[in-house]
Amino acid sequence: MDTKIIKIDETKELDLQLMDAAEILQKGGLVAFPTETVYGLGGDAKNKDASKAIYAAKGRPSDNPLIVHIPDVSWVDAIVSEIPEAAKKLAEAFWPGPMTLIFKKNDVIPYETTGGLDTVAVRLPSHPVARALMEKSGVYIAAPSANTSGRPSPTKAKHVIEDLSGKIDAIIDGGEVNIGLESTIIDVTEEIPMILRPGYISLEDVKDVVGKAAYDPAIFSENKSLRPKAPGMRYRHYAPKGNLIVVDGEKEAVCEYINAQILEAGVTGKKVAVMASRETAGSYKNAKVYTIGSVNDEEEIARNLYDVLRQFDEEGMELIFSEAFETPHMGQAIMNRLLKAAGHQVVSL
Ligand code: TXA
Ligand code: MG
């Protein structure tokens, strides 16, 4: 199939540029679009066949539910069976924005969209293109991240083109996203709101609004008998083809350890890479160094992470060492993604 690329021109009226994309969605087709977190692969959430097509295009397991996107809170009522008090407060505080809430669903959203679950994930993004697309089409947009299943989520249109060109009807190129990590997912169907996936909105942010909140204990545990409540957190994700190892410890010790490992690997002729902060990038010798951002700018690190993970594959890196990034607000979210990418291979010094 020919995939139409729609490049947004910010100097022109948005609605006109989204007419074709809106029509494709109304007819059950698939359109990738930018949000403030990552690019999404959108289809009509009420249309079983559109949902099935999303799974097929991504190669995604059909038990991994999709997030339903809306342009205004008033759209929630029609697709859920109840709106708990905590959800109202969280929506008031963080929507539009990088937060997804899990509600009990009603019959409007088919099981094909929710991966067979009786709950539905809902997000109100802040990105103007995403919102205009929903308002223009009137469609509740089911959208997972617009990557091939298992690869890092797309933060640029070029990543979407790499993964999905020829498999979907259209890709809207709205430039680079702001945040670069997927939304914080919060389950509000239980007594105490539970974070199922960490993101830009932290546990502390959530507690400030609702008092009590907790992480799903399975997400930071290597204990395989604990099953994460968000099905997508159970799968291998983000991993580059090369062997990625995270090295954690004091700055000097980390540099020394990685440099020694590079020397050792040199003998084998492997292509070796290091993912480092701007501050330490100059300390590594005899490897290709990828600078991910400043240790003082966690937003920069979050925004670049997936792009750098994709570059390792593009450039055929076989052995990759990464520093650990303990940042104040998004540290949990960044390390959650990085550790997944590394298959939890960590050297602690
Ligand atoms: O930032 C985001 O959330 C992006 C943009 C496009 O909005 N979307 C995104 O979707 O990350 P996806 O499909 O890549 O991840 C959705 C996650 C998966 O881990 C899935 O298992 C979980 O949300 N999820 C969806 N519905 C759920 C439900 N009813 N209960 C528990 N987890 C759910
Ligand atoms: Mg995803």
Side-chain angles (χ1 to χ4, degrees):
M1 134 183 352
D2 259 0
T3 302
K4 188 181 165 106
I5 309 288
I6 303 166
K7 181 141 180 62
I8 297 299
D9 179 342
E10 278 172 18
T11 64
K12 301 216 174 95
E13 206 203 320
L14 194 49
D15 270 10
L16 286 177
Q17 300 177 70
L18 297 177
M19 269 177 32
D20 288 354
E23 203 182 314
I24 293 170
L25 288 170
Q26 287 161 347
K27 290 186 175 154
L30 304 188
V31 177
F33 61 98
T35 82
E36 70 278 23
T37 55
V38 298
Y39 272 77
L41 169 56
D44 180 353
K46 296 185 188 173
N47 179 336
K48 290 180 190 150
D49 295 325
S51 286
K52 284 189 195 156
I54 291 176
Y55 286 99
K58 276 182 64 95
R60 178 177 174 114
S62 62
D63 65 347
N64 189 4
L66 309 177
I67 295 174
V68 177
H69 295 67
I70 56 171
D72 190 275
V73 262
S74 61
W75 286 40
V76 176
D77 242 356
I79 57 169
V80 307
S81 67
E82 72 181 279
I83 304 182
E85 233 8 80
K88 288 184 192 151
K89 289 186 187 156
L90 289 166
E92 173 80 19
F94 301 121
W95 274 352
M99 175 184 75
T100 296
L101 296 176
I102 308 288
F103 294 93
K104 294 198 171 114
K105 79 185 230 11
N106 65 16
D107 292 339
V108 174
I109 301 293
Y111 284 112
E112 281 76 4
T113 302
T114 65
L117 297 178
D118 288 318
T119 51
V120 60
V122 183
R123 179 158 109 81
L124 199 174
S126 64
H127 199 291
V129 171
R131 299 180 66 186
L133 186 59
M134 293 185 274
E135 259 149 18
K136 179 106 199 120
S137 62
V139 169
Y140 284 80
I141 302 184
S145 49
N147 51 286
T148 298
S149 199
R151 296 207 75 201
S153 297
T155 54
K156 298 176 175 173
K158 104 176 177 140
H159 300 155
V160 184
I161 293 170
E162 265 164 37
D163 284 12
L164 297 176
S165 191
K167 297 182 177 169
I168 62 176
D169 299 287
I171 297 171
I172 303 174
D173 179 352
E176 191 171 355
V177 302
N178 292 325
I179 295 177
L181 294 182
E182 305 86 344
S183 60
T184 306
I185 301 179
I186 310 169
D187 185 350
V188 286
T189 63
E190 309 276 349
E191 265 300 283
I192 297 177
M194 190 190 268
I195 296 188
L196 307 188
R197 178 174 72 182
Y200 182 83
I201 291 167
S202 68
L203 177 61
E204 285 63 40
D205 294 337
V206 175
K207 281 183 179 165
D208 283 347
V209 174
V210 292
K212 281 192 184 155
Y215 280 121
D216 174 351
I219 56 182
F220 295 114
S221 167
E222 280 170 64
N223 179 347
K224 296 254 164 29
S225 64
L226 288 176
R227 265 169 83 76
K229 199 163 173 190
M233 298 292 279
R234 295 173 200 152
Y235 297 105
R236 187 178 152 85
H237 218 167
Y238 315 124
K241 296 195 183 89
N243 188 20
L244 170 61
I245 299 164
V246 177
V247 184
D248 193 8
E250 290 293 327
K251 214 165 61 186
E252 287 77 23
V254 168
C255 290
E256 204 175 299
Y257 177 86
I258 293 179
N259 275 322
Q261 293 293 311
I262 296 170
L263 276 185
E264 219 169 90
V267 184
T268 64
K270 275 193 183 147
K271 283 181 101 172
V272 186
V274 179
M275 180 150 70
S277 70
R278 181 160 304 118
E279 288 76 8
T280 49
S283 324
Y284 298 101
K285 309 248 163 0
N286 304 312
K288 170 135 195 203
V289 180
Y290 295 76
T291 306
I292 189 172
S294 165
V295 283
N296 303 314
D297 185 354
E298 57 179 343
E299 302 203 353
E300 186 187 16
I301 293 176
R303 202 163 43 234
N304 289 331
L305 178 64
Y306 293 151
D307 189 45
V308 173
L309 287 174
R310 279 176 179 260
Q311 285 178 42
F312 294 143
D313 284 353
E314 257 166 52
E315 293 166 23
M317 292 299 155
E318 295 164 290
L319 178 59
I320 306 149
F321 295 99
S322 176
E323 298 175 349
F325 303 98
E326 309 291 349
T327 61
H329 184 83
M330 265 192 287
Q332 299 279 26
I334 292 169
M335 286 312 290
N336 166 260
R337 307 311 196 276
L338 182 56
L339 290 174
K340 269 188 127 177
H344 288 270
Q345 291 189 90
V346 186
V347 175
S348 299
L349 300 174

